[in-house]
Amino acid sequence: MAKRPDPRRLRSALTYTVPELASACGVTDGTVREWLKDGLPALTTQLPTLITGGAAKAFLVARRVKRRQPTQPDELLCMTCKVPRKAFEGMVGLIETPGQTPRIQGFCAVCETVCSQMVKRADIPNLRSIFQISPNPTKSA
């Protein structure tokens, strides 16, 4: 199953039944029924229930935008709180893996669990003025 349904996989000009939409989005039928309860517009005057691709796309995009949590330069996204938080005592580790986007990782000042944030390579010098950054932990052979 998809972690996040991708609205780009849907065709605006098509109509989908609940199982067809579930299959196209990579989710279960029950998830689509929950979306209908949460306000996904559908044609319910006759069976089967039909959902237009355009309405489904707009619903999924709006849902994703609503969940987005912008962070300030001195904040990381807490994996437990699910909101932006300051790093415990401003200490973070810089994780740079070849071929991947670098990220900084620390501990939440509120719940003391892992916080993380993807960063641009160009922003790393600016982050050094905000955080106490330690380099990648070295792997022992």
Side-chain angles (χ1 to χ4, degrees):
M1 291 290 140
K3 201 169 194 181
R4 286 186 210 118
D6 186 2
R8 295 175 297 180
R9 295 176 64 190
L10 302 176
R11 301 290 170 244
S12 296
L14 295 180
T15 57
Y16 296 90
T17 63
V18 170
E20 290 170 344
L21 183 60
S23 177
C25 291
V27 297
T28 64
D29 293 3
T31 300
V32 174
R33 292 184 204 293
E34 285 297 318
W35 292 346
L36 290 168
K37 289 178 188 174
D38 290 342
L40 173 61
L43 306 170
T44 58
T45 55
Q46 60 186 7
L47 293 176
T49 298
L50 295 176
I51 303 140
T52 62
K57 274 183 154 182
F59 176 81
L60 292 173
V61 168
R63 190 169 166 262
R64 185 174 288 175
V65 167
K66 187 172 93 174
R67 290 181 172 200
R68 194 170 287 155
Q69 298 266 343
T71 59
Q72 298 299 319
D74 64 340
E75 294 177 326
L76 306 174
L77 182 64
C78 178
M79 300 298 157
T80 302
C81 302
K82 304 289 187 211
V83 294
R85 300 276 192 203
K86 296 201 183 291
F88 180 73
E89 296 188 2
M91 296 186 305
V92 296
L94 176 62
I95 301 170
E96 291 183 285
T97 307
Q100 293 184 355
T101 303
R103 63 188 165 107
I104 53 175
Q105 188 171 5
F107 292 101
C108 177
V110 175
C111 68
E112 299 179 0
T113 57
V114 175
C115 293
S116 183
Q117 183 71 35
M118 300 293 215
V119 296
K120 297 177 187 170
R121 290 191 196 284
D123 291 343
I124 293 173
N126 296 339
L127 293 173
R128 292 188 191 280
S129 66
I130 298 170
F131 298 107
Q132 297 175 29
I133 298 179
S134 62
N136 272 352
T138 58
K139 294 182 181 177
S140 55

